[in-house]
Amino acid sequence: MHELALAESVLQMVDEAAQANGFRRVRRIVLEIGQLAAVDPAAMRFCFDAVVRETVADGAVLEIEEIPGRGWCVHCAAVVPMDDFVAACPQCGRFGVQSRNGRELRLKTLEVE
Ligand SMILES: [Zn+2]
């Protein structure tokens, strides 16, 4: 379950922001997670709630926005939607689609008091 490691890295980003900006509480966090990162939002929330206990983000609402995966076909150069690493190109039907995005994990919004 890599959600635990991800939740910890999110907390680290929040902690760094808290030190840089001097806020004491986080009310809402919006995360952008690429579809290809294979993150289970329910597991992510569960792990997040566990790791933020007694930190600045204790009780914060975690919102997860999924970014659709996109790939680029090495054969016909089409840019195609991608929800799996092993998929044939929908344009030419050949295998060789390389992921362009969809694996990111980004802190999009941080609402603090
Ligand atoms: Zn193609």
Side-chain angles (χ1 to χ4, degrees), residues 73 76 89 91-92:
C73 177
C76 71
C89 171
Q91 299 287 327
C92 70

Side-chain angles (χ1 to χ4, degrees), residues 79-90:
V79 175
V80 298
M82 194 178 182
D83 54 14
D84 199 322
F85 280 111
V86 188
C89 171

Side-chain angles (χ1 to χ4, degrees), residues 2 11 16 26 47 62 68 85:
H2 69 154
L11 176 60
E16 279 165 16
V26 179
C47 292
L62 181 67
F85 280 111

